[in-house]
């Protein structure tokens, strides 16, 4: 299973032997290389060779005159190879002399996961291959996992639905060429059935609904049916030619669900609202996009703002509690900055060996009169309303003022890292705000780091580069957040003007004893080193994780083991305790009692943040 447990096997398609040196160096690294004589023999070899990845060279420079036809032939060869590799879930990397734009585009458009330039080091290629192979394995494992089921109705549960949806959508190219339609069925005031007739009657209603759903879609094999929340059912349809046909299906389903049913021995009528959302063919399908589709369908069912199917929603008389909550959040968020309700909490990034703090990450919190709201809840709303840009600019300004105040009070905070939305990079206002905030705080530009997520940057990498470059020119540092999902290509990564990779928490969480995750983190460390970048591990919670990270060469850590995000006023006290703890190797955390164990949750020296 683990990438480290078995020698890597690579297929090399390089008819002209132009990459003999690379071939030899990879063998020197202990990798098993099998040459493919021609693209036509690739399919057969892929089935027999048990290879982990495919390397394919591009042909010699195009000769003038016949350039166009050669280019078409080159593209056809790449596409053919990529199809063969992708069908088997195998990563393909294209070897190029230099990453001239055209070739990079051609290779990635053909379906390659990455390109590799001759001038780069073999160690870099090795690390990149490990990452690609590991993420391909994780995807495959995800697809093999039995999908979660809801015990009451036998339908998929929410997680099972997401897995099944991703798997269905990626099953074949036919599906990919059709829209992905989601119907979200919500029972109106379901709690009234429970309250009036008892939980047993409620269960009867849910089971009957599930039965009717199965019946309605029995002849549509490419669908996934789930109970995604207490009184919410979801249907994913992949076989519809046009997203609009969903409207007719939704009406039909609604009519069926409105027929009387027997709950707790009594006949009752339930009313449902159905929201429809659709992704057009070609859109990225992953857990996040399915989550977003569910959220859009939920909104559609309450706003009646769906692909032309308002009539399905005419029966909506009252808005649901969730809808009210959302409206309440939406309304409350307007003006929250002006009212001083937004605050920043700070989480240190530490080196546990030297017990030093290299930077603090600023994380937004919304302090409402009655409750604290976390970014997971309000950032999505802020994204929709465009307020996320105001929040980003406020956070930059506020965080720099805070560093200035700390320094004035004798607390030597080296720097601060602020999260911004990737689309913010495309706005000129960001650089202006940054400049203004730096000027008024009197701090040197290197104090500020901005974090953008890898996925966000990769969505439009060329524009992101322009934005990042501008910030870099001001002297500001940039970090790629939630890094490691394997989406960014090496070609782009080496061109991104960034300073730091923040290793996604998911890899750190599973570090205890998980060899594949160790391989991923090791690859990220090699990648970071080859590209001259810092690496920070996020979400370090246990001593075992800290020790694994340390063994893998990563000493910049952020996580509950050291501190939860805390209000600015608590930093001095935390820092004093952190510095005065006895350093050792491996360093024990404060309050630790007994020997550290793999996987054990160990309370570190944090000041708890109540959630
Ligand atoms: P992120 O940038 O990946 O931030 C790290 C998140 O992980 C934070 O959640 C932090 O509290 C949490 N965390 C840190 N250490 C640990 C740990 O050891 N274990 C666990 N389980 N969690 C840990 P938080 O503060 O809820 O923020 C969530 C996300 O919201 C952030 O993820 C970031 O993407 C976004 N966000 C936060 N503040 C802002 C902001 O000002 N602007 C924008 N655009 N996004 C923000
Ligand atoms: Ca972050
Ligand atoms: Ca992160």
């Amino acid at each position: 299973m683990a990438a480290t447990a078995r020698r890597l096997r690579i297929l090399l398609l390089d008819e002209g032997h132009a990459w003999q040196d690379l071939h030899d160096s990879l063998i020197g690294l202990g990798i098993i290389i099998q040459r493919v004589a021609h693209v036509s023999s690739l399919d057969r070899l892929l089935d027999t060779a048990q290879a982990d990845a495919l390397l394919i060279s591009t042909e010699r420079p195009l000769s003038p005159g016949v350039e166009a036809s050669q280019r078409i032939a080159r593209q056809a060869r790449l596409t053919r190879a990529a199809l063969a590799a992708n069908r088997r879930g195998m990563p393909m990397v294209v070897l190029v002399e230099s990453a001239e734009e055209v070739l990079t585009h051609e290779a990635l458009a053909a379906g390659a996961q990455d390109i590799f330039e001759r001038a780069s080091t073999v160690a870099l290629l090795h690390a990149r291959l490990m990452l690609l192979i590991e993420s391909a394995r994780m995807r495959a494992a995800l697809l093999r996992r039995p999908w979660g089921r809801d015990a009451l109705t036998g339908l998929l549960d929410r997680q099972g639905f997401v897995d099944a949806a991703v798997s269905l959508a990626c099953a074949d190219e036919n599906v990919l060429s059709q829209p992905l339609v989601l119907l979200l069925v919500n029972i109106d005031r379901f709690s009234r059935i429970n309250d009036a007739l008892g939980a047993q009657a409620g269960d009867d209603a849910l089971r009957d609904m599930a039965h009717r759903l199965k019946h309605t879609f029995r002849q549509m094999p490419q669908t996934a049916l789930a109970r995604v929340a207490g009184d919410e059912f979801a249907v994913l349809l992949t076989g519809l030619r046009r997203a609009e046909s969903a409207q007719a299906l939704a009406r039909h389903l609604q009519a069926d669900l409105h027929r009387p049913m027997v709950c707790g021995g009594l006949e009752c009528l339930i009313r449902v609202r159905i929201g429809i959302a659709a992704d057009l063919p070609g859109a990225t399908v992953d857990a996040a996009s399915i989550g977003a589709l569910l959220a859009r369908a939920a909104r559609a069912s309450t706003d009646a703002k769906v692909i032309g199917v308002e009539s399905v929603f005419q029966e909506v008389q009252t808005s649901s509690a969730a809808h009210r909550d959302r409206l309440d959040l939406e309304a409350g968020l307007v003006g929250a900055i002006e009212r001083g309700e937004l605050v920043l909490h700070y989480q240190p990034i530490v080196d546990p060996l030297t017990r030093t703090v290299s930077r603090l990450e600023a994380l937004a919190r919304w302090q409402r009169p009655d409750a604290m709201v976390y970014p997971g809840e309000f950032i999505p709303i802020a994204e929709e309303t465009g307020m996320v840009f105001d929040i980003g600019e406020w956070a930059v300004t506020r965080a720099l003022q805070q560093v200035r105040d700390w320094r004035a009070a004798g607390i030597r905070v080296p720097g601060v890292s602020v999260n911004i939305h990737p689309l913010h990079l495309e706005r000129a206002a960001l650089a202006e705000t940054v400049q203004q905030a730096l000027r008024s705080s009197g701090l040197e530009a290197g104090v500020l780091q901005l974090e953008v997520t890898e996925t966000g940057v990769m969505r439009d990498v060329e524009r992101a580069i322009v934005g990042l470059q501008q910030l870099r020119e001001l002297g500001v540092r940039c970090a790629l957040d939630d890094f490691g999902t394997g989406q960014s290509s090496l070609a782009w990564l080496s061109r991104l003007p960034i300073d730091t990779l923040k290793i996604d928490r998911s890899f750190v969480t599973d570090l205890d004893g998980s060899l594949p995750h160790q391989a991923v983190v090791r690859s990220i460390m090699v990648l970071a080193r080859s590209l001259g970048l810092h690496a920070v591990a996020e979400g370090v919670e246990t001593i075992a994780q800290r020790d694994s990270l340390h063994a893998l060469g990563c000493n910049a850590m952020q996580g509950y083991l050291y501190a939860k995000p805390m209000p600015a006023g608590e930093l001095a006290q935390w820092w004093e305790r952190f510095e005065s703890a006895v350093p050792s190797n491996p360093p024990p955390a404060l309050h630790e009692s007994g020997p550290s164990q793999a996987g054990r949750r160990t309370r570190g020296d944090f000041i708890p943040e109540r959630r």
Side-chain angles (χ1 to χ4, degrees):
M1 255 300 278
T4 42
R6 175 172 89 82
R7 287 171 69 190
L8 280 191
R9 288 170 174 269
I10 306 277
L11 288 180
L12 175 63
L13 177 52
D14 173 32
E15 294 96 330
H17 287 248
W19 291 83
Q20 189 63 40
D21 285 356
L22 180 71
H23 170 272
D24 298 346
S25 312
L26 288 173
I27 289 186
L29 287 176
I31 296 174
I32 303 170
I33 308 268
Q34 185 163 359
R35 281 189 173 279
V36 187
H38 189 262
V39 69
S40 57
S41 39
L42 193 58
D43 256 307
R44 185 177 45 78
L45 265 176
L46 283 174
D47 285 332
T48 55
Q50 291 194 312
D52 300 300
L54 171 67
L55 294 181
I56 175 168
S57 67
T58 39
E59 258 129 36
R60 266 158 259 281
L62 307 173
S63 26
V66 281
E67 197 181 296
S69 65
Q70 282 184 357
R71 176 159 290 150
I72 292 170
R74 178 168 79 189
Q75 188 69 16
R77 173 173 166 275
L78 286 179
T79 306
R80 189 166 170 189
L83 271 178
N86 287 347
R87 207 176 300 137
R88 293 163 178 87
M90 180 187 291
M92 170 172 124
V93 173
V94 180
L95 307 172
V96 298
E97 290 302 325
S98 83
E100 49 147 328
E101 288 289 288
V102 184
L103 211 49
T104 308
H105 281 300
E106 275 179 16
L108 299 177
Q113 272 64 48
D114 213 339
I115 62 153
F116 178 75
E117 289 178 274
R118 197 178 282 278
S120 311
T121 64
V122 180
L124 192 61
L125 177 62
H126 187 216
R128 184 62 191 154
L129 283 171
M130 295 284 285
L131 255 184
L132 287 173
I133 291 167
E134 204 44 60
S135 74
R137 278 195 188 127
M138 285 197 280
R139 261 197 308 277
L142 185 73
L143 294 184
R144 275 195 307 273
R145 199 170 68 191
W147 294 329
R149 296 253 162 215
D150 166 43
L152 179 68
T153 61
L155 299 181
L156 297 167
D157 62 17
R158 191 184 179 93
Q159 185 57 49
F161 180 73
V162 171
D163 291 347
V166 172
S167 158
L168 262 176
C170 301
D172 63 48
E173 284 138 41
N174 269 343
V175 171
L176 280 177
S177 65
Q178 281 159 357
L180 206 60
V181 180
L182 193 139
L183 310 187
L184 191 74
V185 182
N186 190 295
I187 309 178
D188 245 1
R189 286 163 291 173
F190 178 64
S191 56
R192 292 216 311 201
I193 299 184
N194 269 336
D195 295 345
L197 303 175
Q200 191 60 45
D203 286 356
D204 286 350
L206 293 170
R207 267 192 296 262
D208 194 343
M209 287 202 47
H211 181 72
R212 293 179 192 201
L213 273 167
K214 282 188 218 162
H215 185 75
T216 303
F217 296 101
R218 70 192 177 288
Q219 272 159 359
M220 301 179 65
Q222 287 171 330
T223 53
L225 301 177
R227 180 159 78 114
V228 289
D231 61 346
E232 248 176 23
F233 293 85
V235 182
L236 187 89
L237 301 162
T238 60
L240 296 186
R241 282 257 156 74
R242 295 171 340 116
E244 289 78 9
S245 340
Q247 180 182 355
L249 267 169
R251 281 217 191 81
H252 177 71
L253 175 66
Q254 192 183 42
D256 193 42
L257 294 173
H258 284 178
R259 283 189 300 111
M261 57 176 68
V262 178
C263 310
L266 291 172
E267 192 179 83
C268 47
L269 285 175
I270 63 162
R271 287 288 169 265
V272 299
R273 286 168 291 119
I274 303 181
I276 305 178
D279 268 347
L280 295 175
T284 313
V285 182
D286 55 21
S289 77
I290 299 294
L293 203 56
L294 275 164
R296 279 164 46 206
R299 219 169 308 130
S301 79
T302 43
D303 295 358
K305 211 182 359 174
V306 224
I307 41 171
V309 284
E310 279 78 2
S311 54
V312 174
F313 310 100
Q314 276 168 5
E315 306 188 34
V316 182
Q317 247 94 61
T318 54
S319 43
S320 68
H323 184 48
R324 270 201 308 278
D325 285 353
R326 201 195 142 82
L327 287 180
D328 177 46
L329 280 181
E330 246 176 55
L333 195 54
V334 176
I337 296 181
E338 291 73 16
R339 292 192 302 274
E341 290 177 3
L342 280 195
V343 291
L344 289 174
H345 281 192
Y346 297 86
Q347 188 179 34
I349 298 163
V350 306
D351 180 335
L353 284 186
T354 56
R355 307 242 17 120
T356 47
V357 175
S358 59
R359 197 169 276 282
L360 302 171
E361 177 172 359
L363 294 154
R365 268 82 189 109
W366 177 15
Q367 182 62 70
R368 303 198 78 184
D370 50 344
M372 176 83 97
V373 188
Y374 287 84
E377 255 186 283
F378 68 84
I379 293 289
I381 297 176
E383 280 172 357
E384 276 166 38
T385 56
M387 236 188 101
V388 75
F389 303 123
D390 302 325
I391 295 180
E393 283 162 35
W394 163 81
V396 165
T397 310
R398 184 70 206 99
L400 286 174
Q401 284 167 353
Q402 185 60 59
V403 174
R404 182 201 56 196
D405 292 351
W406 272 322
R407 287 192 179 179
I411 308 168
R412 300 291 311 161
V413 171
V416 73
S417 203
V418 176
N419 294 282
I420 56 157
H421 195 279
L423 286 179
H424 213 154
L425 292 175
E426 295 172 16
R427 304 185 148 219
L430 180 63
E432 283 162 26
T433 306
V434 164
Q435 237 172 336
Q436 172 64 36
L438 282 168
R439 212 175 302 128
S440 63
S441 68
L443 294 166
E444 61 279 11
V447 167
L448 180 65
Q449 175 169 276
L450 296 177
E451 297 189 10
V452 274
T453 59
E454 179 191 23
T455 331
V457 163
M458 288 305 148
R459 234 166 255 151
D460 190 347
V461 68
E462 284 169 83
R463 296 181 80 155
I465 288 180
V466 175
L468 288 167
Q469 195 57 51
Q470 265 180 358
L471 295 164
R472 276 299 236 23
E473 276 159 19
L474 297 177
V476 170
R477 304 173 68 90
C478 300
L480 211 50
D481 207 351
D482 304 345
F483 182 77
T485 42
Q487 295 305 310
S488 54
S489 82
L490 196 53
W492 288 121
L493 201 53
S494 54
R495 280 173 180 66
L496 279 181
I498 50 167
D499 306 274
T500 300
L501 299 178
K502 297 197 74 176
I503 305 173
D504 190 55
R505 179 150 62 88
S506 60
F507 299 111
V508 175
T509 306
D510 289 341
L511 257 186
D512 313 321
S514 157
L515 284 176
H517 284 97
Q518 288 183 10
V520 170
V521 174
R522 184 177 296 116
S523 305
I524 296 177
M525 293 310 296
V526 174
L527 211 61
R529 222 167 290 135
S530 329
L531 297 171
L533 304 175
H534 298 279
V536 174
E538 296 188 309
V540 184
E541 291 183 351
T542 68
I543 300 282
Q545 288 162 357
R546 177 204 64 192
D547 291 348
S548 298
L549 286 164
H550 174 65
L552 294 167
C554 179
N555 283 317
M557 307 191 196
Q558 180 180 358
Y560 295 174
L561 180 60
Y562 302 104
K564 286 197 169 181
M566 63 187 108
E570 293 175 7
L571 181 74
Q573 203 191 1
W574 169 85
W575 205 327
E576 209 170 292
R577 281 203 289 142
F578 176 71
E579 277 184 338
S580 61
V582 191
S584 68
N585 184 14
L590 285 179
H591 311 308
E592 188 192 356
S593 55
S596 70
Q597 281 165 235
R600 201 189 74 194
R601 302 272 139 165
T602 313
R603 197 174 149 236
D605 36 353
F606 61 77
I607 298 165
E609 184 190 42
R610 267 173 286 280
R611 279 208 162 182

